[in-house]
Amino acid sequence: MLDLLLHNARLPTGQVVDIAIDQGRIRGIEPHLAAEAHRRIDLDGWLVSPPFVDSHFHLDSALTAGQPRHNLSGTLLEGIAIWSELKPTLDEEQIYGRARRLCEMAIAQGNLAIRSHVDTSDPRLTAVRALLRLRDDMRSWLDIQLIAFPQDGYLRLPAGRRQLQAALDLGLDGVGGIPHFERTATEGATSIAELCRLAAERGLPVDMHCDETDDPSSRHIETLAAETIRHGLQGRVTGSHLTSMHSMDNAYAGKLLGLMQQAEVHAIANPLINITLQGRYDSYPRRRGMTRVKELLAAGLRVGFGHDCVMDPWYRLGSHDMLEVASMGAHVGHLTGESELLDCYRAVTEHPAAILGLPDYGLAPGCRADLVVLQARDPIEAIRLRPARLYVIRGGRVIAETAPRHTRLSLHETSMLDLSRLD
Ligand code: FE2
């Protein structure tokens, strides 16, 4: 007797199959399965996908927009200033409560893994404690990976180094950084060298906010790649944002891509945030700011798209919908060819799953039975429609359900409109 049998599930390849699930794993995917099951669901040909993965987020600041004030200039630096005002006033329960609401929103959207940076600049490490508790409390439903993030600088903040290490001692999962925010480019490079050494010593992955600026001379990704090689960290290091790459000249960017290949660094773009925070000091034409996703993919590097922010000092909008992120990435990056749109879908599913090192992720026998069923027929249609997440399944158990979206049209005669049906 199986735990769950999904009938008429459409795979991303278009094939319609039955999926057998038992003891938290996918046990079989066949055109027709005639097994007994405790629960059977007829999916009516809707798309089944591995769950969405958000590889770059900030759970500690999520849902704080307007506190204590809104970001009127819309700039990264005003956002950092507002967060610095708010941070000392927050207690552990407030941070935990908001982050938990965000996690529930994420699950409803079919996102079952989040890599969150957590600010270690607060001397009380309040956010670190709150999110460590949340990570453990949510484990049954959602994978949370926590990166120690020295928002106010690893070297620039006098206690930055000590606090980041203390946060790692409490049990965070990876080492972050913010080299472009250190006092000088030299100190930025020093911070990268120290943080990579720390990660190597502790056996942790690295994911740094790196070169989040339009300044083409911000080249910390070069140092990050070089330090990755020096410490033998290939495949375990990620550069987040990398927006200066948008503005670099092609000759330098070409050399840099070769170094990044050698270092096997992963790249994470944050399309919603990059398109709104970058280019703020331009007149016209205004730069888009998103890193060179096409070129990174062509170089064989793993590229994830992150949501980064939902209703916080940097971004007033968002509902933690990774399909909105994929759609924005496609638009901003000129990634609108058929295979490029599929790359955008992979940038919110399998690529970030690999960057996070999620075990047994995927849609094959033996994989964890973590799935999302979408009211769409294929991944490109999912990006187009951002459709209802009909079922979200974690370890073989349905943990969220949403009714299919239909509109009753009353024109000459009454009819039902379903945006996914074109015939
Ligand atoms: Fe970020």
Side-chain angles (χ1 to χ4, degrees):
M1 178 77 85
L2 297 168
D3 289 333
L4 179 63
L5 190 52
L6 302 175
H7 290 290
N8 297 316
R10 190 178 300 268
L11 300 175
T13 56
Q15 196 189 358
V16 177
V17 295
D18 293 345
I19 301 177
I21 292 169
D22 198 48
Q23 295 184 337
R25 301 260 160 188
I26 297 173
R27 300 296 174 188
I29 300 179
E30 302 285 344
H32 298 286
L33 284 168
E36 293 293 309
H38 289 292
R39 185 171 181 189
R40 297 164 170 272
I41 305 175
D42 186 347
L43 299 184
D44 198 22
W46 295 123
L47 177 65
V48 174
S49 169
F52 300 114
V53 177
D54 185 358
S55 50
H56 187 110
F57 196 70
H58 296 262
L59 282 168
D60 47 6
S61 53
L63 309 182
T64 64
Q67 298 184 28
R69 60 192 171 87
H70 283 291
N71 184 339
L72 298 182
S73 69
T75 59
L76 174 65
L77 293 182
E78 186 177 346
I80 292 175
I82 293 171
W83 178 235
S84 297
E85 291 165 34
L86 180 61
K87 219 171 4 184
T89 71
L90 294 175
D91 64 30
E92 196 176 314
E93 289 312 309
Q94 288 171 315
I95 295 173
Y96 180 95
R98 284 200 196 95
R100 190 172 174 120
R101 275 202 299 286
L102 190 288
C103 288
E104 290 166 358
M105 189 187 291
I107 290 166
Q109 301 278 31
N111 313 332
L112 295 185
I114 300 175
R115 174 180 277 183
S116 175
H117 296 254
V118 49
D119 190 351
T120 60
S121 305
D122 160 30
R124 302 168 300 160
L125 296 177
T126 312
V128 173
R129 293 175 209 282
L131 295 188
L132 279 169
R133 186 153 60 90
L134 184 71
R135 179 188 70 184
D136 295 341
D137 290 352
M138 298 302 291
R139 207 181 288 280
S140 303
W141 308 293
L142 172 74
D143 294 306
I144 298 176
Q145 217 173 68
L146 296 173
I147 304 291
F149 174 47
Q151 171 82 73
D152 297 340
Y154 178 70
L155 298 174
R156 184 169 170 167
L157 183 74
R161 186 190 271 122
R162 180 166 45 79
Q163 283 172 205
L164 184 133
Q165 298 203 20
L168 291 175
D169 290 342
L170 288 175
L172 297 189
D173 305 299
V175 176
I178 187 164
H180 56 278
F181 191 70
E182 303 294 351
R183 280 193 199 88
T184 64
T186 306
E187 288 192 5
T190 304
S191 77
I192 294 170
E194 279 196 31
L195 289 161
C196 285
R197 194 179 63 233
L198 189 61
E201 286 167 1
R202 291 183 178 239
L204 295 174
V206 174
D207 187 340
M208 287 192 196
H209 285 64
C210 193
D211 301 323
E212 190 181 3
T213 164
D214 294 314
D215 175 3
S217 64
S218 187
R219 295 178 170 190
H220 292 299
I221 178 58
E222 181 183 81
T223 307
L224 183 60
E227 291 297 324
T228 299
I229 295 167
R230 186 193 313 279
H231 291 286
L233 292 170
Q234 286 92 333
R236 291 164 49 195
V237 174
T238 302
S240 277
H241 289 294
L242 304 177
T243 52
S244 72
M245 285 183 75
H246 185 93
S247 298
M248 288 170 181
D249 70 71
N250 289 342
Y252 175 71
K255 175 178 180 249
L256 176 61
L257 283 166
L259 180 64
M260 291 172 74
Q261 260 178 329
Q262 212 188 329
E264 298 168 40
V265 294
H266 312 306
I268 294 175
N270 295 292
L272 295 167
I273 305 309
N274 300 150
I275 195 70
T276 46
L277 289 185
Q278 301 307 311
R280 286 278 175 169
Y281 303 98
D282 291 352
S283 54
Y284 288 95
R286 285 190 170 167
R287 282 169 287 182
R288 296 167 176 229
M290 192 170 81
T291 194
R292 301 183 184 216
V293 173
K294 246 184 230 250
E295 290 76 7
L296 289 161
L297 287 169
L301 295 167
R302 265 194 196 112
V303 181
F305 287 163
H307 206 303
D308 202 0
C309 307
V310 170
M311 295 182 69
D312 71 8
W314 297 274
Y315 189 60
R316 178 71 178 81
L317 305 170
S319 59
H320 213 256
D321 182 353
M322 296 310 295
L323 286 171
E324 185 182 8
V325 173
S327 174
M328 183 60 76
H331 287 80
V332 176
H334 287 165
L335 294 161
T336 47
E338 292 293 290
S339 66
E340 292 172 331
L341 286 166
L342 294 174
D343 283 333
C344 291
Y345 195 83
R346 283 192 277 269
V348 295
T349 51
E350 61 191 75
H351 285 250
I355 292 171
L356 268 61
L358 298 179
D360 304 325
Y361 173 95
L363 202 49
C367 288
R368 279 168 60 169
D370 291 357
L371 303 166
V372 57
V373 180
L374 300 153
Q375 192 187 358
R377 303 288 168 183
D378 61 62
I380 294 177
E381 189 173 78
I383 294 174
R384 179 174 77 85
L385 297 175
R386 280 164 262 148
R389 320 297 133 109
L390 302 174
Y391 298 95
V392 180
I393 298 170
R394 170 76 163 183
R397 194 162 72 87
V398 175
I399 60 169
E401 289 182 57
T402 301
R405 192 182 300 150
H406 299 287
T407 302
R408 181 187 299 275
L409 276 184
S410 300
L411 305 179
H412 292 302
E413 56 196 33
T414 298
S415 60
M416 298 300 284
L417 178 68
D418 174 346
L419 291 172
S420 69
R421 292 185 195 272
L422 301 177
D423 48 340

